[in-house]
Amino acid sequence: MASGQDQDFACECCGGQHEGPAMSYGADAPAPWRPRHARGRKSELGTDLCVIKGRHFFIRGLVEIPVLGTDESFSWGVWASLSRTNFVRAQELWDDPDRTEEPPYFGWLCTALPGYRPGTLHLKTNVHTRAVGQRPFIELEPTDHPLAVEQREGITMDRVREIAALVMGG
């Protein structure tokens, strides 16, 4: 019954077609980023790190949510702000296999995700570095915000389909 509601999708990673709803969606830039920042000498947007005006620092990571009744997780690709000190430290350890020993960095969620009330901007996070080549795990502060509850308690495949419809505009 649910399969009729599943959306096939083209994978951004491999370029192939997959059945069912995508299990991750993400933002290409933190919410404060504007195209005009790309013209500034002190601003840079990469695939994993971002600096705005030499004063605001961001790292891209994943808010992972268990999907109930499966071995899968749904992921939101999000950006979190970091202090200058933690941003520099994350850069220094970028290619270091021992970076997994680093304590988490405090940050603020800087991605507005669709379908959450209240909104997701500025939720408190802990940014956990993982093995080289893996994006950090973004752990939300355990509050009653719907996204934090989903991260703690998990979501159903019906919720994954609901998210897919929101993101895809359906």
Side-chain angles (χ1 to χ4, degrees):
M1 177 173 143
S3 62
Q5 296 174 350
D6 289 349
Q7 304 90 344
D8 290 348
F9 68 98
C11 180
E12 291 182 16
C13 294
C14 73
Q17 278 293 117
H18 298 279
E19 289 184 23
M23 295 300 285
S24 76
Y25 295 98
D28 293 331
W33 179 264
R34 301 290 177 265
R36 71 176 182 273
H37 293 136
R39 295 186 296 269
R41 291 181 298 124
K42 295 183 178 185
S43 297
E44 183 178 346
L45 174 63
T47 56
D48 296 295
L49 299 171
C50 178
V51 177
I52 298 176
K53 299 181 179 179
R55 293 189 313 254
H56 307 284
F57 306 92
F58 307 90
I59 191 165
R60 191 173 185 184
L62 300 172
V63 172
E64 295 173 342
I65 302 170
V67 179
L68 301 172
T70 74
D71 293 332
E72 296 186 76
S73 290
F74 175 84
S75 298
W76 285 112
V78 299
W79 292 84
S81 66
L82 294 179
S83 68
R84 176 188 300 269
T85 301
N86 287 340
F87 184 82
V88 169
R89 179 77 176 152
Q91 281 185 303
E92 289 171 355
L93 297 174
W94 198 255
D95 294 316
D96 186 339
D98 292 332
R99 74 185 198 170
T100 57
E101 303 301 315
E102 189 74 356
Y105 306 124
F106 175 80
W108 297 96
L109 192 65
C110 290
T111 302
L113 298 175
Y116 290 95
R117 298 287 179 261
T120 58
L121 284 178
H122 308 120
L123 295 175
K124 291 180 181 180
T125 70
N126 278 308
V127 178
H128 299 265
T129 55
R130 296 198 266 201
V132 173
Q134 289 187 316
R135 287 206 164 111
F137 170 67
I138 307 293
E139 176 190 21
L140 297 170
E141 178 183 42
T143 65
D144 62 354
H145 188 280
L147 181 59
V149 172
E150 286 181 348
Q151 188 177 48
R152 276 193 318 275
E153 298 180 4
I155 59 175
T156 63
M157 278 304 292
D158 283 342
R159 174 66 175 139
V160 173
R161 286 189 270 289
E162 182 183 310
I163 292 168
L166 282 169
V167 172
M168 304 309 281

